[in-house]
Amino acid sequence: MTGRIPVTVQGLRGDDAEITTPTGIERYRAADIAVALGVSVGQLPQARLTARRDSRGRLYDWAPAT
């Protein structure tokens, strides 16, 4: 695991949120991110967040950027 990294939700594509990370664009299930943040999926585009990477390289532990 690593420390928190900054990410931005660029937009929604189907059920997925397109996330820009320091290393590129990744897709994650938008509903999972929205639930973690306590917001609706429609509020995700352009959201600035932080997340952690697990041992497989996937992002998790979504939080609003401060």
Side-chain angles (χ1 to χ4, degrees), residues 32-54:
D32 293 342
I33 299 168
V35 167
L37 297 173
V39 301
S40 71
V41 169
Q43 292 176 288
L44 290 178
Q46 304 308 310
R48 294 176 54 212
L49 312 171
T50 63
R52 297 177 196 235
R53 284 208 187 270
D54 66 16

Side-chain angles (χ1 to χ4, degrees), residues 13-42:
R13 189 171 290 235
D15 291 338
D16 293 336
E18 289 190 333
I19 307 291
T20 301
T21 72
T23 58
I25 295 175
E26 302 176 31
R27 286 191 182 165
Y28 292 89
R29 198 162 168 264
D32 293 342
I33 299 168
V35 167
L37 297 173
V39 301
S40 71
V41 169

Side-chain angles (χ1 to χ4, degrees), residues 1-13:
M1 293 188 295
T2 63
R4 300 198 74 77
I5 60 169
V7 300
T8 302
V9 179
Q10 291 300 315
L12 302 174
R13 189 171 290 235

